[in-house]
Amino acid sequence: MVYELSQRFYFEAAHTLERDIDVEGSRRIHGHTYHAQVFVRGVPDPRTNMVIDLGHLNQVISTVRAELDHRFLDDVPGLGAATIENLCAFIYRKLEAVIPQVNRVAIERPASGDRCDYIATAAATA
């Protein structure tokens, strides 16, 4: 039987953004509260009966969160432009390097209603 587990976290960060609409406000430093959710999929280990120990998942998420929380995203190495898409991909890459069962990362900005899902299978074919 295959299970999907998830863990949520949030971070506060500022950035600028080059775009064609809302140009002036986007180019100024501004910030958001980002809500992220990480999904892990797999078959439970017969010894532990867990797909992953959620304590281990939380530890790895904490290290990634520390790279983003209360940061100026424009300066985060490996992120690129601070788009919601790049944030999803960045979190996925960081987590997947340690936890290969990660199969999806979602980020929401509730205040503006924006959401992005990075799905591993789609990324592998892109």
Side-chain angles (χ1 to χ4, degrees):
M1 193 170 294
V2 175
Y3 293 87
E4 186 173 68
L5 304 171
S6 70
Q7 184 97 51
R8 294 179 190 202
F9 67 100
Y10 76 95
F11 58 96
E12 313 274 354
H15 70 112
T16 63
L17 196 59
E18 290 290 325
R19 55 193 288 208
D20 296 330
I21 193 166
D22 298 331
V23 173
E24 187 178 328
S26 295
R27 288 186 181 157
R28 275 188 259 128
I29 295 174
H30 62 283
H32 304 281
T33 299
Y34 296 92
H35 292 254
Q37 189 167 3
V38 174
F39 297 83
V40 177
R41 185 180 175 98
V43 176
D45 179 293
R47 186 180 62 78
T48 64
N49 292 306
M50 293 185 277
V51 172
I52 188 169
D53 184 318
L54 291 174
H56 176 64
L57 178 60
N58 192 41
Q59 275 185 330
V60 177
I61 285 172
S62 292
T63 62
V64 175
R65 183 180 182 270
E67 292 184 52
L68 300 170
D69 192 38
H70 287 84
R71 305 289 180 172
F72 183 52
L73 297 177
D74 296 32
D75 294 341
V76 172
L79 177 61
T83 64
I84 197 168
E85 296 91 342
N86 280 348
L87 279 167
C88 275
F90 177 84
I91 292 169
Y92 172 81
R93 285 191 311 271
K94 293 284 185 169
L95 294 174
E96 195 269 339
V98 180
I99 301 170
Q101 306 98 309
V102 171
N103 71 309
R104 183 164 45 119
V105 172
I107 294 183
E108 266 186 281
R109 294 187 312 202
S112 58
D114 303 325
R115 178 182 167 115
C116 179
D117 283 62
Y118 183 94
I119 302 164
T121 55
T125 60

